[in-house]
Amino acid sequence: MNSRLAMWAMAGLCLLGAWGCATTQDPRKQLLEGTSGNAVYKLEPVQLADTIRHLLTEQRYELLPTSDPLYLKTTWRIDGALDMGGSWSRMLIQLVPLGDGRTAVRAFRMGYTTTGRASSHPGLASNQKDSGKAEGGVTGSYVVGEPLSPAKPSVKRAGDFEWALLARVDPKLGAHLEARANDYIATGRHDPSEPTEE
């Protein structure tokens, strides 16, 4: 009995190990995105916003109007077939002026995965409480097959977008940072803050 339990435990650990390796992020990507997340640009927000708009368009995002010129947001970009399931994402970007002509950027991606579409179902009218009937005894309006999602959207820092922005605004610095990241990986270090043997 103990040998069988040990065998199952060993198999479970092997599976967990394989799963852990499969979900481990690329160290080079982590270095580059971590660096770009701390970038400060020697540009006014208006100039930087133009570059961000172009980059968003290249990545197939459509901009939505905002009342704040230092805030950019997009519509949902959908990848995949909606009837079978798809990946929905949108970008929320804040430009932070630092008062000395420099600007910081904080980019966030909101995203979730859908698992097909719901059947048409009754929804609540805008002036109706959760009573099952709207004013005048009329039931709520119908919503044609909306996407189903098993969870609420998640909002995460978009390090890949921030890295793409840094590489676009300052290609020379981007190339330098890529070379540094490659050096760290080649020497077996994954953290630039680790001390060197010099």
Side-chain angles (χ1 to χ4, degrees):
M1 181 70 173
N2 286 340
S3 62
R4 181 176 278 184
L5 181 61
M7 183 179 73
W8 282 109
M10 186 60 130
L13 288 174
C14 288
L15 285 173
L16 282 174
W19 181 73
C21 291
T23 58
T24 302
Q25 286 192 355
D26 176 17
R28 181 177 180 276
K29 184 176 184 235
Q30 284 181 315
L31 286 170
L32 296 174
E33 291 179 6
T35 302
S36 61
N38 297 315
V40 174
Y41 298 90
K42 293 180 182 178
L43 293 170
E44 292 291 333
V46 174
Q47 296 172 290
L48 201 51
D50 287 339
T51 304
I52 291 170
R53 284 186 190 94
H54 289 297
L55 194 54
L56 287 169
T57 302
E58 287 174 17
Q59 294 185 5
R60 299 181 302 118
Y61 286 103
E62 293 181 29
L63 287 159
L64 287 171
T66 62
S67 58
D68 184 351
L70 300 178
Y71 178 67
L72 301 168
K73 63 181 179 178
T74 69
T75 60
W76 289 102
R77 185 183 84 183
I78 306 167
D79 297 310
L82 288 179
D83 291 331
M84 295 301 291
S87 173
W88 292 52
S89 65
R90 68 184 300 193
M91 298 295 294
L92 312 166
I93 301 170
Q94 183 73 45
L95 293 109
V96 183
L98 301 177
D100 56 358
R102 299 182 309 154
T103 306
V105 174
R106 301 293 176 256
F108 296 90
R109 181 176 288 110
M110 179 184 288
Y112 68 103
T113 302
T114 59
T115 55
R117 287 186 179 271
S119 302
S120 296
H121 58 281
L124 296 174
S126 60
N127 61 354
Q128 176 187 1
K129 297 194 179 197
D130 194 11
S131 64
K133 292 192 176 187
E135 287 181 10
V138 179
T139 58
S141 61
Y142 281 84
V143 179
V144 177
E146 295 179 332
L148 287 172
S149 176
K152 292 182 180 180
S154 63
V155 179
K156 295 181 180 175
R157 188 83 177 258
D160 59 331
F161 184 86
E162 291 179 354
W163 167 249
L165 178 64
L166 186 143
R168 173 72 55 91
V169 171
D170 194 343
K172 187 175 178 181
L173 176 61
H176 172 73
L177 291 173
E178 284 184 322
R180 291 288 305 260
N182 291 337
D183 287 344
Y184 285 119
I185 302 302
T187 58
R189 292 184 296 140
H190 298 250
D191 183 0
S193 63
E194 290 179 9
T196 58
E197 296 180 10
E198 294 178 3

